[in-house]
Amino acid sequence: MDYNFKEIETKWRKYWTNHQTFKVEIDHNKPKYYVLDMFPYPSGAGLHVGHPLGYIASDIYSRYKRLKGFNVLHPMGYDAYGLPAEQYAIQTGQHPAVTTEKNIARYREQLDKLGFSFDWNREVRTCDPDYYHWTQWTFIQLFEHWYCFRANAARPISLLIEIFNEQGNRKVRAAQSETPEFTAEEWKSKSEKEQQEILMNYRLAYLSVTTVNWCPKLGTVLANDEVSNGLSERGGHPVERKPMLQWALRVSAYAERLLQGLETIDWTDSLKDIQRNWIGKSMGCEMKFPVGDNAVLDIFTTRPDTIFGATFMVLCPEHESIETLTTFEQKQAVDDYVKWAKNRSERERQAEVNKITGVFTGSYAINPLNQQKIPIWIADYVLAGYGTGAIMAVPAHDSRDYKFAKHFNLPIVQVVDGGDISEEAFEAKDGIMINSDFINGMNVKDGIAAVVKKVEELNIGKGKINYRLRDATFSRQRYWGEPFPIYYKDGLPYPLDENELPLLLPEVDKYLPTETGEPPLARAKNWINKEGYPLETSTMPGFAGSSAYYLRYMDAKNSSGLVSQDAVKYWQNVDLYIGGTEHATGHLIYARFWNKFLFDIGIACTDEPFQKLINQGMIQGRSNFVYRIVGTNQFVSHNLRTNYEVQPLHVDINMVENDILDIEKFKQWLPDFATAEFILEDGKYVCGHEIEKMSKSFHNVQNPDDLIEKYGADTLRMYEMFLGPLEQSKPWDTQGIEGVFRFLKKVWRLYHPNNEDFNVSDENPTAEELKVLHKTIHKIENDTERFSFNTAVSAFMIATNELSDLKCNKRGILEPFAILLSPYVPHIAEELWAKLGYSQSISTVEFPKFEEKYIAENTFTYPVSFNGKTRFMLELPIDTPNADIEKAVLANADAQKWLNGNPPKKVIIVPKKIVNIVV
């Protein structure tokens, strides 16, 4: 009986759907385990074989934990708002919802084919009003809260108003924008407008003028990771930096908690380091440098000890003081430079360390500790969001300052002894201070403390902790996103009543900005609240919907709250989260911030949302190339190409098998190639190959549907795991899948000897068969727990070969073996389980128990050496005493041959290792 994977997989997918096999409810009789995948954005291209890698791993682990007795939550949904659907809508006029629905249907079909154990009853879509109702609700809570450093938590704005009414803001320790001090009487005397403007400085969701990445062609603000080399990732349109009034989230308020939380979670050190660097905590000093009459420049430095080596100052191109500091003679040069620099992304400015640019303002500052006059420059290597956007430059001890000083011929003064500053900056954080007035002779640490003390005594600064982490811009000037639950009265923002949620995305005549440059929602008719006040016309960014979806999965149909307390107290947080490293500084920071806020207001019950996180590696494509002779339509085979001037061209990998091109398919591929001619080797056209990112533009995308059609989903699942360690990137090679397919057919033959009918014996297993089984149980359990799925697949292959060699068809072996296989290849395992006589799903049974007694070795085969050279092997009971080992060895016929009738000089025995006879 052949292995008919198409029939088997169709049958069991239908069974799981009809029987709601993976539907999960709260069950206090079982321990919970929550497995989460980073949910996909459903693009029109569908899945390629690289996409399911993490899903297969999470599915194996989910199925495994069920077998181990856990109540497993394993949900799936769609990150359904996105720019691609909106761009398609702009081009075609088709509503983004229609495009998104079509793409979701395609993704669902592909995901189902792979046999995933998702609880589809909990599906969420971020574009569904029932879902974004709670994103809007959370935004209102953020708007109505501030961050209190005394409580180290978010607190209601109503409490802040009480404090202002009683004592003003002098004693308030809050995360805030710059706000002048005021008394209670001054607060009470202010108008509502003035009070609301002050409260905006404290809100966790607030409006402010922010320098953003503005793409005129797309008509929207873009995040830093959506911009590359001054162009939008989507469409390649020019992006400029400009100030705009934007909604922002005060993520920086949670910087220290985001940092401390990393100590409590099971993430890789590399991922934690990425987050630590992004948060960027630094201890230092903020101080004032006088500039002209009664003006000062505030700077932040982590090395106040080097103040006597400060030979110039640098402002970021966005700095608010540039206009007042620029002299008439320098104005044109400054204007030109600022215009150029402000349109460069921060990523470019940080990455291009060897590109040195800058302009002198014409003004000077005074070093407050030695009264030296130092020039003020503008350069794009200083960023607006870090510190104050202004630095004291110490070229002797900072590499970027050093390169800048060398380029513009500015002074370099060494203040920490050591290093050769004629060649490069001396950046050591240890050493003795020199050329530094009152801190000469101190070490760096003491010098820092002394300078901080001095500037505090002079009342020109103070010691300060600084974070690189910035508040998140939260507005997008586009249509396809969550509407803000905000209306404007007298130009001030107010939240809608919670009973008015969800605020639905309105219909518009076009998905473009208005002719006056307003966002697309401004096109909506009657876009006003019930009192007639205008509603916000920007929409929320993509990360709004992905910041709490893991909580919504716990209670996806709840119409009265984001998640019930019963559900959140049971599921608590995500035990295992699997996804790509590209989200390390975006989604994972924002989701952790969002969760900590929800924890503060009593919605989440744990401070950290994701206890263990694994980043799966990328499956890379194996590209193929043909070689066109330049100026012709003639193509030369790979090994002959060096004889010609050629242009390599990517070719669709579906036209290539074992690097041999199907010439007829190639000629039919594109009109240009219909008349192509070929220079062959041995009658074949051999293609070149290279490992690259899997991409449609490289024509190296492998559609999983094609492989499932040819080999089945179980083969694809197991092959993707077999490619290599989960966390590592690895190249895709379709040729290797044949071996895995043959392996599964061999598994099938264990239960169907000689490809005949199902035949399993009830005879007792032999000791050797039990040894194979329990060795495999032990290996699969350990490897699965360690997420070492590739070595588990190897163990299955070894076990199958060993059981085949033993001609084992015993129920006592093959029944537990099917259970072991089921997390990895669930369709074939379900079929074998049914054939073994069971009516319930194999996913409901217990994982086999490992018993060490079955793998304990009873004998040991000793290598017997004479004068250090092994001459023969001798098997003896493992507990044989040394004296008996010696007798058995000397009595052996082979030993007599090497002794040649002489007694040994010495017999050396190392139990369970070796026997060495000295003659």
Side-chain angles (χ1 to χ4, degrees):
M1 184 178 183
D2 288 338
Y3 169 43
N4 187 338
F5 63 83
K6 289 184 182 178
E7 185 180 295
I8 290 168
E9 292 180 0
T10 301
K11 169 185 172 181
W12 288 104
R13 284 199 298 271
K14 190 178 294 184
Y15 174 93
W16 294 329
T17 301
N18 292 342
H19 288 78
Q20 297 278 288
T21 304
F22 305 113
K23 183 178 180 181
V24 64
E25 303 287 357
I26 291 173
D27 184 351
H28 292 286
N29 295 316
K30 287 184 176 181
K32 70 92 184 183
Y33 200 87
Y34 185 174
V35 180
L36 182 65
D37 299 282
M38 291 186 183
F39 64 172
Y41 172 76
S43 71
L47 297 169
H48 62 60
V49 293
H51 293 131
L53 179 71
Y55 303 156
I56 295 168
S58 68
D59 192 62
I60 288 171
Y61 204 74
S62 296
R63 289 174 176 272
Y64 166 76
K65 294 300 274 189
R66 283 191 193 93
L67 298 177
K68 296 293 282 185
F70 287 84
N71 190 30
V72 177
L73 173 57
H74 187 209
M76 179 50 76
Y78 302 98
D79 193 4
Y81 278 127
L83 196 52
E86 181 153 5
Q87 285 304 107
Y88 188 75
I90 290 168
Q91 292 160 11
T92 64
Q94 179 173 285
H95 197 288
V98 176
T99 309
T100 302
E101 182 65 39
K102 182 180 175 183
N103 294 346
I104 285 175
R106 169 82 175 122
Y107 265 58
R108 175 64 190 270
E109 178 189 19
Q110 289 186 293
L111 291 169
D112 281 346
K113 281 182 180 178
L114 282 156
F116 294 133
S117 59
F118 297 130
D119 179 359
W120 284 109
N121 295 288
R122 295 172 181 266
E123 177 192 308
V124 300
R125 302 179 181 188
T126 56
C127 64
D128 184 342
D130 287 343
Y131 178 81
Y132 69 67
H133 178 154
W134 302 107
T135 309
Q136 292 175 339
W137 177 86
T138 306
F139 180 82
I140 290 174
Q141 308 316 308
L142 286 160
F143 183 82
E144 296 288 17
H145 282 78
W146 59 292
Y147 197 85
C148 175
F149 285 126
R150 295 185 194 280
N152 208 20
R155 291 291 181 259
I157 284 288
S158 57
L159 175 61
L160 188 63
I161 294 171
E162 286 179 21
I163 295 170
F164 289 170
N165 276 320
E166 291 173 7
Q167 58 188 43
N169 70 343
R170 189 172 66 84
K171 294 183 179 179
V172 171
R173 291 189 60 236
Q176 65 186 86
S177 309
E178 191 170 336
T179 309
E181 282 190 9
F182 53 81
T183 64
E185 290 69 29
E186 288 171 330
W187 167 257
K188 292 172 188 173
S189 69
K190 293 181 186 295
S191 66
E192 181 186 352
K193 185 176 192 308
E194 290 171 328
Q195 288 184 344
Q196 288 300 320
E197 286 171 346
I198 289 171
L199 291 174
M200 190 64 73
N201 291 338
Y202 292 87
R203 297 183 188 275
L204 287 173
Y206 64 97
L207 275 174
S208 73
V209 174
T210 308
T211 301
V212 295
N213 301 310
W214 171 253
C215 180
K217 183 72 175 178
L218 297 176
T220 189
V221 168
L222 297 176
N224 285 336
D225 56 6
E226 295 174 311
V227 181
S228 177
N229 298 320
L231 301 173
S232 64
E233 287 278 6
R234 182 73 182 174
H237 305 299
V239 175
E240 60 189 58
R241 300 274 294 167
K242 74 172 189 177
M244 288 181 68
L245 189 65
Q246 295 284 293
W247 283 104
L249 301 184
R250 212 176 293 278
V251 179
S252 60
Y254 285 80
E256 186 62 28
R257 280 173 62 185
L258 288 167
L259 203 56
Q260 295 304 319
L262 294 172
E263 305 304 317
T264 68
I265 52 182
D266 183 10
W267 295 13
T268 62
D269 288 339
S270 60
L271 183 55
K272 286 183 179 182
D273 284 344
I274 290 171
Q275 293 231 329
R276 287 188 188 105
N277 291 336
W278 193 257
I279 296 165
K281 182 179 181 178
S282 54
M283 307 288 289
C285 183
E286 200 168 80
M287 65 180 87
K288 301 179 185 300
F289 277 61
V291 182
D293 297 329
N294 301 318
V296 294
L297 270 179
D298 290 316
I299 67 101
F300 174 80
T301 177
T302 59
R303 292 293 302 275
D305 58 306
T306 63
I307 188 168
F308 295 102
T311 58
F312 59 100
M313 299 191 76
V314 186
L315 310 182
C316 67
E318 301 85 359
H319 200 282
E320 60 187 9
S321 299
I322 287 175
E323 190 173 340
T324 57
L325 290 173
T326 302
T327 61
F328 176 78
E329 294 79 10
Q330 290 297 107
K331 188 173 188 329
Q332 188 61 54
V334 167
D335 287 350
D336 292 344
Y337 181 79
V338 167
K339 183 178 179 182
W340 171 80
K342 284 170 68 174
N343 286 338
R344 302 184 74 225
S345 73
E346 289 189 4
R347 185 187 295 174
E348 291 172 289
R349 289 161 62 174
Q350 288 176 295
E352 295 178 4
V353 293
N354 293 319
K355 185 172 184 177
I356 294 148
T357 66
V359 64
F360 178 42
T361 63
S363 293
Y364 293 82
I366 303 298
N367 185 321
L369 294 192
N370 65 7
Q371 306 308 306
Q372 291 285 324
K373 187 177 177 183
I374 55 178
I376 303 170
W377 287 69
I378 303 164
D380 69 346
Y381 75 90
V382 175
L383 303 178
Y386 182 68
T388 64
I391 66 165
M392 64 174 201
V394 184
H397 305 290
D398 180 275
S399 59
R400 294 200 78 163
D401 293 347
Y402 185 88
K403 289 173 183 173
F404 192 89
K406 283 287 190 182
H407 185 80
F408 290 106
N409 199 28
L410 296 167
I412 300 174
V413 176
Q414 185 167 2
V415 291
V416 181
D417 198 20
D420 181 5
I421 64 164
S422 66
E423 297 295 327
E424 61 183 357
F426 178 56
E427 294 190 301
K429 293 180 171 58
D430 294 311
I432 301 301
M433 306 308 303
I434 58 174
N435 302 321
S436 295
D437 199 85
F438 65 92
I439 60 170
N440 276 336
M442 293 185 186
N443 61 37
V444 166
K445 184 179 178 182
D446 292 341
I448 290 173
V451 171
V452 171
K453 182 181 178 185
K454 186 72 170 179
V455 299
E456 288 179 346
E457 286 173 356
L458 294 172
N459 201 28
I460 57 169
K462 60 183 178 180
K464 186 180 179 184
I465 297 172
N466 195 68
Y467 298 91
R468 186 179 291 112
L469 181 68
R470 265 156 284 164
D471 292 342
T473 303
F474 202 64
S475 302
R476 297 292 184 267
Q477 287 64 46
R478 58 191 187 210
Y479 173 75
W480 192 231
E482 295 97 327
F484 281 95
I486 292 289
Y487 68 91
Y488 288 86
K489 186 172 86 172
D490 300 329
L492 293 172
Y494 293 87
L496 295 176
D497 288 336
E498 291 176 17
N499 60 16
E500 296 179 71
L501 302 181
L503 175 63
L504 301 180
L505 193 63
E507 295 293 328
V508 293
D509 59 340
K510 293 179 187 175
Y511 305 106
L512 291 164
T514 67
E515 287 67 22
T516 56
E518 294 176 275
L521 293 195
R523 293 179 174 277
K525 293 179 180 177
N526 299 317
W527 189 235
I528 54 177
N529 77 341
K530 60 187 180 183
E531 284 87 24
Y533 292 112
L535 292 163
E536 172 65 69
T537 53
S538 290
T539 52
M540 299 187 205
F543 74 82
S546 62
S547 290
Y549 75 114
Y550 55 93
L551 286 169
R552 187 62 177 170
Y553 280 141
M554 297 177 185
D555 198 12
K557 306 303 180 189
N558 192 333
S559 60
S560 59
L562 170 63
V563 59
S564 71
Q565 283 301 292
D566 283 347
V568 79
K569 283 176 181 174
Y570 179 74
W571 296 111
Q572 296 196 14
N573 63 356
V574 175
D575 295 286
L576 172 64
Y577 198 14
I578 296 183
T581 53
E582 66 273 15
H583 299 295
T585 56
H587 161 65
L588 289 174
I589 288 280
Y590 299 140
R592 291 179 64 219
F593 154 76
W594 201 279
N595 185 87
K596 288 175 187 296
F597 170 69
L598 292 173
F599 175 76
D600 287 352
I601 65 171
I603 303 300
C605 68
T606 59
D607 190 54
E608 284 291 338
F610 314 122
Q611 189 56 38
K612 183 174 182 63
L613 188 144
I614 294 177
N615 291 133
Q616 85 269 14
M618 184 190 302
I619 289 187
Q620 299 163 311
R622 191 179 191 275
S623 301
N624 280 116
F625 297 87
V626 293
Y627 303 91
R628 181 164 60 193
I629 299 173
V630 173
T632 74
N633 202 23
Q634 195 172 30
F635 294 82
V636 59
S637 189
H638 176 261
N639 296 310
L640 305 175
R641 73 193 188 285
T642 54
N643 300 326
Y644 304 86
E645 185 185 355
V646 297
Q647 176 191 15
L649 300 174
H650 283 89
V651 63
D652 191 331
I653 59 170
N654 295 300
M655 301 174 188
V656 182
E657 187 164 347
N658 294 330
D659 291 334
I660 306 301
L661 179 69
D662 185 323
I663 290 173
E664 288 308 311
K665 280 186 180 178
F666 178 77
K667 292 172 79 169
Q668 295 165 22
W669 184 32
L670 296 171
D672 288 355
F673 301 150
T675 58
E677 298 175 349
F678 300 86
I679 300 174
L680 309 177
E681 49 184 305
D682 299 328
K684 297 175 182 176
Y685 189 95
V686 179
C687 295
H689 67 268
E690 192 173 312
I691 302 303
E692 300 180 290
K693 178 183 177 182
M694 201 171 274
S695 166
K696 285 197 298 181
S697 63
F698 295 158
H699 305 294
N700 65 354
V701 171
Q702 180 72 62
N703 187 335
D705 297 2
D706 298 337
L707 295 172
I708 290 170
E709 177 68 23
K710 188 173 181 180
Y711 299 107
D714 282 342
T715 298
L716 179 59
R717 286 170 64 107
M718 193 158 259
Y719 181 57
E720 292 218 4
M721 294 298 98
F722 190 47
L723 282 171
L726 177 62
E727 296 91 341
Q728 292 181 12
S729 292
K730 45 257 176 187
W732 178 262
D733 184 358
T734 307
Q735 296 171 37
I737 204 170
E738 287 279 358
V740 175
F741 186 48
R742 288 194 298 272
F743 154 67
L744 284 184
K745 290 197 283 189
K746 197 166 190 177
V747 168
W748 183 258
R749 287 197 296 274
L750 286 174
Y751 300 78
H752 303 80
N754 304 315
N755 274 347
E756 295 173 358
D757 289 341
F758 180 79
N759 182 5
V760 172
S761 163
D762 287 326
E763 287 181 42
N764 290 328
T766 66
E768 207 166 353
E769 290 167 341
L770 285 166
K771 182 178 179 181
V772 172
L773 172 66
H774 284 271
K775 183 176 66 174
T776 307
I777 293 171
H778 190 53
K779 178 70 172 163
I780 298 305
E781 186 168 11
N782 284 344
D783 286 357
T784 305
E785 287 285 3
R786 294 185 300 110
F787 308 97
S788 183
F789 302 122
N790 59 315
T791 56
V793 174
S794 296
F796 281 128
M797 292 176 172
I798 292 167
T800 301
N801 288 337
E802 290 177 346
L803 293 176
S804 297
D805 291 344
L806 293 169
K807 295 184 170 37
C808 174
N809 73 333
K810 313 285 176 54
R811 176 180 289 274
I813 303 298
L814 297 186
E815 197 169 280
F817 191 63
I819 300 170
L820 291 178
L821 282 164
S822 64
Y824 290 77
V825 283
H827 306 89
I828 191 173
E830 289 277 23
E831 182 68 13
L832 295 173
W833 192 247
K835 285 176 175 287
L836 285 161
Y838 295 99
S839 57
Q840 84 274 31
S841 168
I842 197 170
S843 66
T844 64
V845 301
E846 188 179 340
F847 193 83
K849 283 188 169 57
F850 165 65
E851 295 187 56
E852 192 168 3
K853 66 182 180 182
Y854 291 117
I855 66 168
E857 299 289 350
N858 297 318
T859 63
F860 182 80
T861 303
Y862 282 93
V864 181
S865 300
F866 287 78
N867 292 344
K869 290 187 178 179
T870 302
R871 298 302 184 183
F872 65 91
M873 311 296 287
L874 182 63
E875 186 176 359
L876 295 169
I878 202 160
D879 55 357
T880 305
N882 283 11
D884 292 344
I885 292 172
E886 182 174 336
K887 286 177 188 174
V889 168
L890 296 178
N892 187 277
D894 286 326
Q896 294 303 318
K897 171 184 166 186
W898 294 101
L899 287 168
N900 198 22
N902 297 314
K905 286 185 178 179
K906 191 187 236 182
V907 178
I908 302 166
I909 298 169
V910 181
K912 291 186 282 186
K913 287 278 182 73
I914 60 161
V915 176
N916 185 39
I917 299 171
V918 181
V919 296

